[in-house]
């Protein structure tokens, strides 16, 4: 099975900061990479699919990039409402796997 | 818009079978993969498996021996059965719509299942 490894596992940044989370696949997955945001006590929400396509309604400060094995989620200017855990996911074929998650906090 | 709603017992005894149903409203169950994901308290997301509208299935290899998924297109529902449960199966269980075109774009609200005697 393809493993997804995220880094860092936790992150603290200030409002307005540029934040980057990385995700590495153990084998190439083309661009079949999604990012999800899960706020405390809430349901995960799709942010980005196909590595860089913003899901409907997602603020433009979120962006994704990468292909093959290395991917990045970037928040261009961190907002208080972005406090959440973020998960990458490879979804091109079964088994579907998630990264272990990155917890993002505000300094 | 499409909405998903999980239903089923919130408490299951050890060694018994966990059974959950996800009802799809506002859209058809056809042409998508229908997934089950779980999340133990304070931990990450674990994909359990998926069922296609045709009935074909894929499961997480670590759970495959205990998982059965099915779909009922007439009721716009799909189901999860997890047998021989233990305390390690205690989690919030989510259903989610998936497609290769757009990953998992619609999720249910989640249902908490506790395994305890």
């Amino acid at each position: 099975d393809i493993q997804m490894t995220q880094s860092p596992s936790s992150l603290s940044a200030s409002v307005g900061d540029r934040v980057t989370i990385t995700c590495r696949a153990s084998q190439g997955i083309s661009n079949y990479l999604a990012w999800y945001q899960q706020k405390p006590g809430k349901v995960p929400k799709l942010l980005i699919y196909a590595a860089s396509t913003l899901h409907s309604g997602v603020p433009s400060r979120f962006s994704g990039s990468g292909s093959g094995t290395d991917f990045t989620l970037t928040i261009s200017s961190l907002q208080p409402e972005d406090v959440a855990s973020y998960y990458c996911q490879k979804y091109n074929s079964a088994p579907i796997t998630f990264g272990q998650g990155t917890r993002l906090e505000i300094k | 818009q499409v909405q998903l709603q999980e239903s089923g017992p919130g408490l299951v005894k050890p060694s018994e079978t966990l059974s959950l149903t996800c009802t799809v409203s506002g859209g058809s169950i056809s042409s998508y993969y229908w997934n089950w994901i779980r999340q133990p308290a304070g931990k990450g997301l674990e994909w359990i498996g998926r069922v296609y509208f045709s009935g074909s299935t894929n499961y997480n290899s670590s759970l495959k021996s205990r998982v059965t998924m099915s779909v009922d297109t007439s009721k716009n529902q799909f189901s999860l059965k997890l047998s021989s449960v233990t305390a390690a199966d205690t989690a919030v269980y989510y259903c989610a719509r998936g497609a290769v075109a757009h990953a998992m774009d619609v999720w249910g609200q989640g249902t908490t299942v506790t395994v305890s005697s």
Side-chain angles (χ1 to χ4, degrees):
Chain A
D1 296 355
I2 296 175
Q3 306 303 315
M4 306 302 293
T5 304
Q6 286 181 235
S7 62
S9 56
S10 64
L11 175 59
S12 182
S14 300
V15 172
D17 281 355
R18 184 180 182 88
V19 171
T20 298
I21 299 169
T22 63
C23 179
R24 175 164 288 177
S26 60
Q27 299 175 37
I29 57 170
S30 184
N31 69 334
Y32 292 102
L33 191 283
W35 290 97
Y36 298 85
Q37 176 194 62
Q38 186 179 32
K39 296 184 178 181
K42 300 298 185 181
V43 178
K45 289 185 175 180
L46 177 64
L47 290 177
I48 288 169
Y49 61 93
S52 61
T53 302
L54 217 59
H55 185 52
S56 175
V58 174
S60 59
R61 63 180 179 275
F62 291 91
S63 64
S65 64
S67 183
T69 60
D70 293 305
F71 301 89
T72 300
L73 172 69
T74 300
I75 307 173
S76 61
S77 178
L78 185 65
Q79 300 301 303
E81 60 266 32
D82 299 335
V83 169
S85 291
Y86 293 84
Y87 296 89
C88 65
Q89 177 205 52
K90 80 94 174 168
Y91 63 92
N92 56 321
S93 60
I96 291 169
T97 48
F98 290 92
Q100 80 277 20
T102 296
R103 181 171 291 183
L104 176 59
E105 299 176 339
I106 300 288
K107 275 184 187 174
Chain B
Q1 71 279 20
V2 175
Q3 293 185 315
L4 307 182
Q5 181 64 59
E6 305 90 348
S7 59
L11 181 64
V12 182
K13 289 182 168 55
S15 80
E16 295 190 344
T17 295
L18 177 160
S19 295
L20 296 175
T21 295
C22 183
T23 300
V24 180
S25 59
S28 173
I29 204 165
S30 297
S31 301
Y32 291 99
Y33 286 103
W34 302 94
N35 297 270
W36 289 98
I37 301 101
R38 70 180 183 179
Q39 185 174 38
K43 296 190 177 181
L45 300 167
E46 180 182 32
W47 180 74
I48 301 169
R50 67 184 183 184
V51 57
Y52 196 45
F53 76 97
S54 63
S56 65
T57 56
N58 302 109
Y59 301 139
N60 185 321
S61 56
S62 67
L63 299 169
K64 189 173 184 177
S65 63
R66 300 194 290 131
V67 172
T68 303
M69 294 183 185
S70 60
V71 63
D72 187 336
T73 54
S74 66
K75 295 182 178 179
N76 249 24
Q77 293 178 333
F78 59 104
S79 299
L80 164 69
K81 293 186 185 300
L82 180 65
S83 64
S84 305
V85 297
T86 70
D89 295 310
T90 294
V92 176
Y93 285 75
Y94 297 101
C95 57
R97 184 178 80 170
V100 173
H102 54 60
M104 296 180 190
D105 63 335
V106 181
W107 292 62
Q109 287 302 301
T111 187
T112 300
V113 178
T114 301
V115 178
S116 175
S117 56

